[in-house]
Amino acid sequence: MCGIVGYIGNQESSPILMEGLERLSYRGYDSAGVAVIGSDGKINVRKAKGRLENLENLLKEKTVYGTVGIGHTRWATHGEPSDLNAHPHTDVKGDIAVVHNGIIENHVSLRKQLEMNGAQFVSQTDTEVVAHLLNQLYEGDMKAALLKAMTMLEGSYALGVICTREPDVVYCARNDSPLVIGFKDGEGFIASDIPALLSHTRDVIFLKDKEIGVLDRSGVKVFDIYGNEQHHEPYHVEWDLSSAEKGGYAHYMLKEIHEQPEAIKKTFEPRYSGTPGDYSWLPLTVEEVKNLRKISIVACGTAYHAGVAGRYAIEKLARIPVEAAIASEYRYRDPIIGENELFIAVSQSGETADTLAALREAKRRGAKVMAVCNVVGSTIAREVGDENTLYTYAGPEIAVASTKAYTTQVELMMLIAVALGQMKGELASEKAQELLDQMHQMPALVEKALGTEEQLQKFTSIASHKKHVFFVGRGLDYALSLEAALKLKEVSYIFSEAYAAGELKHGPIALLQEGRLVVATITQTALLDKTLSNLREIKARGAWVVAVCRESLKEKVTPEADELILIPDTDDLLMPLLAVIPLQMFAYCMAVARGCDVDKPRNLAKSVTVE
Ligand code: G6P
C-alpha cells in the first residue's frame, strides 16, 4: 500500500526521495509525488498518475531543488488514481504539504468544517483535510498544530509534513500506520518501511502510536500527544540492501522462492537445541498449555493459509481445538474468546489492519495473545510485545505475492504444534524428536524440491493459456491447495479455485470437462486411497490432471495423473513445506509465460493497512 518518504540534510532531496519511493514501490501504488522546499522558500510539488517513471519524467522537465522534502506512492482508496488525488497535498496557499498513509475516518465532517472556514479542496482524498486542518490550526508552531490536529483526526495515519514557515524541519506523526525515522550526521529520513532508507542509514527509531517526530539537521526528537519528549532506543537494522534486491534473479518472487531453504533454516535454528523438551522460545507455561480451551489463529491472505495448515498440525499433535479464521470476518462476528484461550495473529508485515483489529478484539476479551510475524518493530509485534512474538526470519519479502514468509509461517506452526503436543503430554518425545530431526533436514529437502523448476517451466509453456485451474487435496493438501490457488490468481490473473478433494462431487464437479486443468496435491499417506478415488472421478470427466506428489507415492499415483511433479519425502505433517515449492513455482512460471507483472500484480498491495 501507500509509501512515505521524507528527507532533511545537505544533499538535494528529490533524488533521495525518488530512490526511497522506488524501494517502496513493491508495496503497490497507482500514483506518486514529491514536495520540496526550494531556495526561494516555497514548496514545489510534482505529482503524476501511474508508474514512478512518469514522476521521474516530470521531474526532468520541471526540476525541483532543495534539501528538505517529502514523497509518496499512493494506492487509491478515496478518489480515483489521478494527478490531482496523488500526494503530497497542500493547504490553499501551498505553505504546508502533507503525505499520508492510512484513512482519516472523519474526513467528511472535518472537510465541511474546514470549508466553512474558507478551505478550498481540490482533490477527493481524505488526506487533503490534514493540510487544511494544519493550516487553520497553525499559530507559529507546527509541532503544536500537529499535536492539536491529532486530537481531531480519527482513523489511521502515518504523516509526513513540511511547511514554508519552518523550512528546516520535517515533521511526522503516526497512529496505526507504520513510520520509521532514520538518522545519521546532519541528515534525517522518514519512511513507511525500512528498505526506503537503508541505503543511507541502519540506525532507526520506530515511532509509536500517537507520537510525532521532529527532524532537523541537528537530530531527531520524538514527542507524545501531550508534547512530552520521549526517549527511543535506536534499533540497528542487521540486514542490508542486498537482501532487498533481486540479486541476479529475473523477479523478486523467483529470488524469494529460492531463498526458502535459508529462511527455513534461520527460523528453525534458534528454536532447536538438538533434543525435544526445550520450548523456552514459546511464551506459554506448561500449566497455561494444559488449561488451554481453544486456540484461534487469525490472519489474512497467505498468512491465513499458513494458519489453516497450523490448525491441522496443532489439533493432531496437541489435541487442542483450533479455529483458523479470516481476520476481516473475525472482528465483526462478535467472536467467542476469553480466558484460557490463545489467539495467534499471523502476519508477514505485522501491519495488516484487519489482523491488528482482530488481535485487539481478542486481547480486549481476555485471551492470551501471540504473534507470528516477519517484521521487527511492526505494529502487531509491538502490540503483543516482543516476548510474545515468534519471528519468522525470512528476511525482507518484496514481491507482493508471499512465498518465503508462508513457508516460515507454516514451519513455525509445525514447531508450535510439536511444542504444545509435548507440553500437554499428548506427544511422545520419540515422535517429537523424529519431527524435529526432519525439520532440521528440511532446508536440504526444500533445495531438492526447487529442482522442479525446469519441469514446471516446460509444463506451463503449454498450460499458460488455461482460463481456469482447480486445485484439490485432502487434509493438509487442502490447506496447501488454498495457498496454491491464491498464488496463481494473484500473479497470473487466472481464475483458480481450491476444493477439498472430497467436496468436488457436491457441486464443482459440474465444471469439470474435457481439458480442464486440475492440480492435485497428494502428500498425505493416510488419505491416499480416498484422494485417488477423487482423481478417478476427475479423470472420468476428461480433465487434465497434474499431480504434485511425494516420491514414495509415485507408483500409485502415476496411473491416475497426466503429469507428475515429484517432491522428496518427509513426515506427512511437514509435507506442506515441500509441496508448496512447485506450487509457488507453477504460479510464477504461469505468470511469466503470460507476460504478467509478477512482482507487482495489478490492484494488489503488499501490506494492506486499511480495512
Ligand atoms: C496482502 C498481501 C498478501 C498477504 C496479506 C496478509 O493481501 O498481498 O500477500 O498475504 O496481505 O499480509 P500480512 O502482512 O498480514 O501477512
Side-chain angles (χ1 to χ4, degrees), residues 118-143:
Q120 285 163 0
F121 281 77
V122 293
S123 79
Q124 302 154 296
T125 65
D126 53 330
T127 303
E128 200 184 336
V129 298
V130 183
H132 295 292
L133 182 63
L134 288 173
N135 174 49
Q136 293 188 6
L137 294 173
Y138 190 81
E139 288 174 349
D141 179 1
M142 183 51 81
K143 182 181 141 212

Side-chain angles (χ1 to χ4, degrees), residues 16-68:
I16 295 176
L17 297 174
M18 287 303 287
E19 186 215 329
L21 291 181
E22 181 59 48
R23 296 210 186 275
L24 291 180
S25 62
Y26 75 93
R27 294 164 67 100
Y29 70 99
D30 38 44
S31 61
V34 295
V36 171
I37 303 186
S39 50
D40 56 357
K42 291 198 175 125
I43 291 179
N44 294 302
V45 179
R46 303 284 183 270
K47 320 200 268 192
K49 181 184 162 186
R51 292 287 181 205
L52 272 171
E53 294 83 70
N54 302 349
L55 178 61
E56 198 141 10
N57 291 336
L58 182 65
L59 281 167
K60 277 183 198 147
E61 270 169 44
K62 294 177 162 186
T63 330
V64 291
Y65 294 108
T67 55
V68 177

Side-chain angles (χ1 to χ4, degrees), residues 157-209:
Y157 49 82
L159 294 169
V161 180
I162 52 172
C163 162
T164 54
R165 282 165 280 183
E166 298 177 34
D168 296 309
V169 191
V170 170
Y171 287 93
C172 57
R174 78 156 270 171
N175 188 45
D176 275 353
S177 192
L179 199 74
V180 53
I181 299 174
F183 50 90
K184 64 178 188 191
D185 288 345
E187 289 182 296
F189 308 83
I190 61 168
S192 43
D193 206 347
I194 292 174
L197 43 76
L198 211 53
S199 61
H200 305 287
T201 179
R202 281 155 173 263
D203 295 313
V204 301
I205 286 172
F206 298 107
L207 214 57
K208 290 187 191 156
D209 280 345

Side-chain angles (χ1 to χ4, degrees), residues 191-420:
S192 43
D193 206 347
I194 292 174
L197 43 76
L198 211 53
S199 61
H200 305 287
T201 179
R202 281 155 173 263
D203 295 313
V204 301
I205 286 172
F206 298 107
L207 214 57
K208 290 187 191 156
D209 280 345
K210 296 262 163 66
E211 282 186 341
I212 67 166
V214 182
L215 290 77
D216 60 25
R217 292 183 186 86
S218 67
V220 181
K221 284 190 174 145
V222 175
F223 300 90
D224 68 10
I225 194 155
Y226 308 107
N228 301 317
E229 191 167 347
Q230 302 293 303
H231 176 71
H232 281 258
E233 219 30 72
Y235 174 78
H236 187 75
V237 182
E238 295 296 341
W239 47 273
D240 54 24
L241 260 183
S242 67
S243 326
E245 277 167 353
K246 278 190 217 153
Y249 286 95
H251 298 97
Y252 282 112
M253 183 178 175
L254 185 61
K255 176 184 175 241
E256 288 161 7
I257 289 174
H258 279 274
E259 281 172 347
Q260 292 180 105
E262 188 60 19
I264 283 176
K265 188 164 171 245
K266 282 192 175 152
T267 303
F268 180 70
E269 274 177 351
R271 284 126 187 161
Y272 178 64
S273 61
T275 48
D278 175 12
Y279 300 119
S280 49
W281 51 268
L282 189 70
L284 288 168
T285 62
V286 170
E287 205 190 333
E288 277 177 316
V289 172
K290 289 199 165 144
N291 288 335
L292 275 181
R293 284 184 295 150
K294 199 181 93 189
I295 299 175
S296 302
I297 308 176
V298 181
C300 300
T302 289
Y304 161 68
H305 295 153
V308 177
R311 180 183 72 202
Y312 283 98
I314 297 172
E315 288 197 335
K316 187 162 179 64
L317 298 186
R319 311 304 300 151
I320 301 170
V322 181
E323 90 162 315
I326 294 167
S328 56
E329 289 293 311
Y330 184 85
R331 180 189 183 185
Y332 293 109
R333 70 167 210 230
D334 197 4
I336 304 171
I337 187 160
E339 276 178 28
N340 294 331
E341 292 194 31
L342 173 65
F343 177 98
I344 308 178
V346 186
S347 175
Q348 186 284 127
S349 63
E351 302 296 348
T352 303
D354 285 321
T355 310
L356 180 62
L359 165 68
R360 287 181 174 156
E361 190 61 35
K363 210 170 159 183
R364 199 176 62 76
R365 292 177 187 232
K368 160 95 186 168
V369 293
M370 260 170 62
V372 166
C373 182
N374 195 40
V375 179
V376 177
S378 59
T379 310
I380 288 175
R382 281 218 312 268
E383 191 86 13
V384 302
D386 256 351
E387 66 289 2
N388 292 315
T389 304
L390 300 180
Y391 285 108
T392 46
Y393 298 112
E397 192 179 64
I398 305 295
V400 166
S402 182
T403 52
K404 60 178 180 171
Y406 172 80
T407 39
T408 52
Q409 286 160 354
V410 172
E411 184 187 28
L412 266 181
M413 288 291 148
M414 301 309 169
L415 267 169
I416 293 171
V418 172
L420 292 177

